[in-house]
Amino acid sequence: MADCNVTVIEIGSSKLSCVVAQRGVNGIFNIKAKASVEYAGFFEGEFIEQAQLEDVVRSLFDQIQSVYKKKIEKVFVGVPAEFSKVVSAKEQVNFKYKRTIKQKDIDALLENASSKIDVEDMEVLSVNPICYVLDDNRNTNQPLKLKAEKISAELSVILAQTSFIQTFNKIWTRLGMTQVEYLSEPLCEAMFILEKEERERTCIVIDVGARSTSVSFVKGDGLTNLTSFSMGGSYITSDLSSACGIPYADASSLKKEIVLSLRGTDSDFYELVSLGGRVTKISMALANEVVCYRLELIAKTVNECIRLFAKEYVPYYPIYLCGAGVTKIKGGKDFFAKCIGRNIMYGLPPIPAMDKPENASLLGLVDAAIEENCKN
């Protein structure tokens, strides 16, 4: 078990997080160390203060190494949706005669597809099967040990911006890291929160973070489409700060108190208590209206993404909501679902005591990293 320790970095839109973990009994994670550092983040696929990025990563690792004393030689880095792209591919392998399909046949199928993908300024992160088709036109998600004369596959290829990879490769080199592996954050999140049976049909995963929101279309073991936009929970905090005339830190505290299911009258207020004990009253009706306005904007943009990228009529696709941007607001999910006009479920990591939607992306990366590490 010890050699399956992994170090995972999540590149969030407002903070960097690091976890050192291993698989425990009953599928739980044993967290050896964890840390996070706030930073300027990214906007529309570019880091806002890229010159300071290395210092932020160093600070993160200093925190981790103060707890986890062993030398870290390999890191798994999540690539956010804003630095990613999904393209579809089809590939086929023909055999000389009808025979049992082996893992090496599937590997060859995926490698052939990967070698043919050439997108400017992008690098292939992974090739994942949506579904396989055998020579009798039989669809299957698991072709291993089945007999066929040929096997074809509908594939999802996830790409990452070359500039993203190069930026972090330079940082890891300076930090003395000998091995780095990049993982698709939206893919790892989706594979972790959705059971294989659920993925037999298309599901939609919406992750609303601090400054970025992603919309993933998930089927089989891959993503059929992926899009993102720069808007999230921190925009709500900024709106509250501006509309209520309070500092950003107070607006952050106010957001934790808001209950969207309450209909405030002129005499209803939220009360903010400062460090000095001073109480500030904020109109409940005003604060709730501000939050609802921004949630409506995010939901409207999500709906545009769904309409733009869905290849077919999608009113019955299950929708799962992850990230802290909406889920940590009391009544946020229900209001968001009303704005989208669809039922929404929380995307929950299947880990006891850690099964919160804001943990989905980081724990998805941890799960994928452990699987990859233990394979090798």
Side-chain angles (χ1 to χ4, degrees):
M1 189 70 73
D3 60 355
C4 282
N5 275 356
V6 295
T7 301
V8 173
I9 313 293
E10 180 187 28
I11 312 297
S13 56
S14 67
K15 68 179 180 180
L16 303 183
S17 300
C18 181
V19 167
V20 180
Q22 66 175 204
R23 185 90 66 194
V25 295
N26 299 322
I28 67 169
F29 295 142
N30 292 331
I31 306 296
K32 304 292 185 178
K34 60 180 179 179
S36 62
V37 177
E38 292 188 357
Y39 77 128
F42 53 79
F43 181 80
E44 294 184 353
E46 292 188 5
F47 288 102
I48 296 170
E49 295 179 357
Q50 187 159 320
Q52 279 72 52
L53 198 54
E54 182 177 337
D55 291 338
V56 177
V57 175
R58 282 185 182 276
S59 174
L60 182 68
F61 266 77
D62 286 344
Q63 288 187 41
I64 284 292
Q65 293 281 210
S66 68
V67 177
Y68 186 72
K69 303 298 184 180
K70 297 180 181 178
K71 181 175 175 59
I72 297 173
E73 296 182 340
K74 180 175 183 177
V75 291
F76 290 85
V77 183
V79 182
E82 286 207 23
F83 299 89
S84 308
K85 181 178 181 179
V86 170
V87 297
S88 299
K90 290 186 177 181
E91 193 62 44
Q92 180 172 304
V93 172
N94 297 309
F95 309 131
K96 292 181 179 178
Y97 51 86
K98 192 168 188 174
R99 64 170 177 81
T100 301
I101 298 169
K102 301 177 182 178
Q103 184 61 50
K104 66 178 183 179
D105 301 320
I106 296 173
D107 292 341
L109 198 72
L110 303 182
E111 287 170 13
N112 288 346
S114 178
S115 65
K116 295 175 183 176
I117 299 295
D118 184 14
V119 179
E120 188 176 2
D121 300 326
M122 305 289 284
E123 296 186 19
V124 174
L125 273 186
S126 65
V127 180
N128 311 97
I130 303 300
C131 71
Y132 297 96
V133 181
L134 305 185
D135 48 353
D136 54 2
N137 289 324
R138 182 171 25 139
N139 287 351
T140 179
N141 291 323
Q142 182 50 270
L144 273 179
K145 299 181 180 178
L146 298 179
K147 289 190 174 182
E149 289 184 11
K150 66 179 179 181
I151 178 174
S152 60
E154 181 184 341
L155 303 169
S156 162
V157 183
I158 301 182
L159 305 157
Q161 285 184 12
T162 301
S163 58
F164 179 96
I165 304 294
Q166 290 175 341
T167 294
F168 279 96
N169 277 350
K170 290 176 183 176
I171 293 174
W172 305 131
T173 299
R174 295 191 189 107
L175 289 178
M177 207 64 58
T178 57
Q179 299 178 69
V180 183
E181 189 163 337
Y182 294 91
L183 303 170
S184 166
E185 181 184 307
L187 176 67
C188 294
E189 178 179 65
M191 294 301 105
F192 192 52
I193 66 170
L194 300 176
E195 295 287 344
K196 198 170 187 69
E197 293 74 23
E198 294 175 279
R199 293 186 266 113
E200 288 181 1
R201 61 169 174 168
T202 300
C203 298
I204 298 174
V205 176
I206 302 168
D207 188 307
V208 185
R211 297 171 188 159
S212 182
T213 296
S214 65
V215 181
S216 306
F217 291 80
V218 189
K219 189 174 183 181
D221 290 333
L223 305 181
T224 57
N225 279 300
L226 173 67
T227 187
S228 61
F229 55 93
S230 292
M231 194 188 304
S234 68
Y235 284 64
I236 298 171
T237 312
S238 296
D239 291 346
L240 285 170
S241 174
S242 177
C244 301
I246 56 177
Y248 187 89
D250 287 346
S252 183
S253 299
L254 172 60
K255 189 166 71 171
K256 295 175 184 176
E257 302 299 319
I258 284 173
V259 182
L260 293 182
S261 59
L262 298 178
R263 294 185 177 181
T265 65
D266 290 342
S267 58
D268 292 319
F269 299 90
Y270 293 112
E271 293 186 348
L272 288 177
V273 181
S274 65
L275 289 175
R278 184 171 62 87
V279 177
T280 303
K281 289 186 175 183
I282 304 293
S283 165
M284 179 181 291
L286 171 64
N288 283 16
E289 182 183 352
V290 169
V291 174
C292 289
Y293 171 77
R294 181 59 67 173
L295 285 179
E296 286 174 346
L297 279 180
I298 296 173
K300 180 181 178 182
T301 311
V302 165
N303 261 340
E304 289 174 358
C305 292
I306 292 175
R307 282 195 294 268
L308 180 64
F309 284 88
K311 294 181 179 179
E312 54 187 344
Y313 195 49
V314 295
Y316 301 110
Y317 285 3
I319 296 183
Y320 295 84
L321 180 64
C322 302
V326 172
T327 62
K328 297 193 79 171
I329 299 172
K330 299 180 186 73
K333 177 180 78 76
D334 292 339
F335 182 79
F336 197 69
K338 181 181 177 182
C339 294
I340 290 180
R342 302 276 292 278
N343 290 327
I344 292 179
M345 295 166 280
Y346 286 123
L348 303 176
I351 302 292
M354 304 177 81
D355 54 346
K356 292 179 169 53
E358 62 265 31
N359 295 331
S361 59
L362 180 57
L363 295 184
L365 290 169
V366 170
D367 183 70
I370 291 173
E371 287 295 313
E372 190 64 31
N373 207 45
C374 291
K375 271 195 304 187
N376 304 328

